[in-house]
Amino acid sequence: TQLLEQSPQFLSIQEGENLTVYCNSSSVFSSLQWYRQEPGEGPVLLVTVVTGGEVKKLKRLTFQFGDARKDSSLHITAAQPGDTGLYLCAATKAAGNKLTFGGGTRVLVKP
Amino acid sequence: EAEVAQSPRYKITEKSQAVAFWCDPISGHATLYWYRQILGQGPELLVQFQDESVVDDSQLPKDRFSAERLKGVDSTLKIQPAELGDSAMYLCASSLGGLPTYEQYFGPGTRLTVT
């Protein structure tokens, strides 16, 4: 069982639609990060959230950290084909500094 | 813009052979990480260096894997002998420090296929 569960595992939508991916755990985290990884490349950091209830916006992307700091969501408004990729959440537990990744959500935005 | 360099990008090897991957972190980054990413999964930390010292290798299969960062700059990850289950993407990342507040920058990875 992974420490961080991401859902759904795969999402295929049409350009212009909205989507939300989730990252859940039974553990409390001191910080949580979202990455996007394109095929054949390494992950690229999108955002870091550290405060329970925190909401961050990055253009059409909205990130939310749960009040209890156990879960997070990523919402994309009006998705574009360039948003296609593997979205990974990663978190650090309060007691340590090791970054643990979820299994990822593969997003395909069709033109 | 500074980047983490990795080579080779792709490697095909037969099982029982030895294979090595190289990583050159961003200049000035004291912390270096090696991750393994199996297809369809998230990256898993294999080893973390702070300068030339290993600070976490709890998930490194030490019977066949070894990693070094002799001068605290570039690093090599070796597998000997390779097994079919080692087929994966091997990612290197670096950061200014080892605390989670420091952003990790990932290289493009080395995709290993063991036949």
Side-chain angles (χ1 to χ4, degrees):
Chain A
T1 302
Q2 287 202 312
L3 187 62
L4 287 168
E5 296 287 341
Q6 289 191 241
S7 61
Q9 288 185 308
F10 178 71
L11 195 55
S12 178
I13 60 171
Q14 292 294 136
E15 182 176 3
E17 293 181 340
N18 301 333
L19 69 97
T20 302
V21 298
Y22 300 92
C23 177
N24 295 289
S25 176
S26 58
S27 300
V28 176
F29 297 106
S30 60
S31 67
L32 189 142
Q33 299 176 334
W34 284 95
Y35 291 79
R36 184 172 71 207
Q37 184 177 21
E38 298 188 14
E41 300 295 331
V44 175
L45 180 66
L46 297 174
V47 76
T48 299
V49 286
V50 296
T51 304
E54 182 176 4
V55 177
K56 282 191 174 179
K57 293 191 176 184
L58 184 66
K59 297 182 179 178
R60 295 176 293 100
L61 279 61
T62 301
F63 305 86
Q64 185 163 6
F65 201 14
D67 291 341
R69 292 185 287 132
K70 293 182 178 181
D71 54 86
S72 181
S73 64
L74 158 61
H75 182 80
I76 301 178
T77 302
Q80 299 175 1
D83 296 324
T84 292
L86 178 68
Y87 288 83
L88 295 158
C89 67
T92 303
K93 295 184 76 172
N97 58 9
K98 181 176 175 178
L99 194 63
T100 300
F101 282 83
T105 293
R106 191 164 299 280
V107 172
L108 173 63
V109 183
K110 294 180 282 188
Chain B
E1 183 176 316
E3 296 179 338
V4 176
Q6 289 189 248
S7 66
R9 292 292 306 272
Y10 304 92
K11 181 69 178 179
I12 300 175
T13 191
E14 294 182 346
K15 63 180 180 180
S16 79
Q17 295 298 304
V19 64
F21 315 129
W22 177 79
C23 171
D24 191 13
I26 293 173
S27 178
H29 281 195
T31 308
L32 185 147
Y33 311 80
W34 282 102
Y35 289 87
R36 177 172 60 186
Q37 184 176 24
I38 296 171
L39 191 64
Q41 299 182 18
E44 174 193 27
L45 180 68
L46 293 175
V47 61
Q48 177 182 341
F49 289 92
Q50 181 66 31
D51 299 310
E52 68 276 8
S53 300
V54 173
V55 297
D56 186 348
D57 62 356
S58 57
Q59 299 302 310
L60 188 71
K62 299 181 186 63
D63 57 336
R64 297 184 301 108
F65 286 64
S66 64
E68 60 183 17
R69 193 184 184 199
L70 293 177
K71 296 183 179 180
V73 181
D74 58 336
S75 175
T76 302
L77 178 69
K78 296 179 181 178
I79 308 175
Q80 182 174 18
E83 296 181 352
L84 295 177
D86 296 331
S87 294
M89 174 80 88
Y90 290 83
L91 294 163
C92 178
S94 71
S95 63
L96 283 171
L99 295 177
T101 50
Y102 291 107
E103 178 178 350
Q104 293 187 29
Y105 295 83
F106 284 82
T110 295
R111 180 163 294 285
L112 173 67
T113 301
V114 182
T115 62

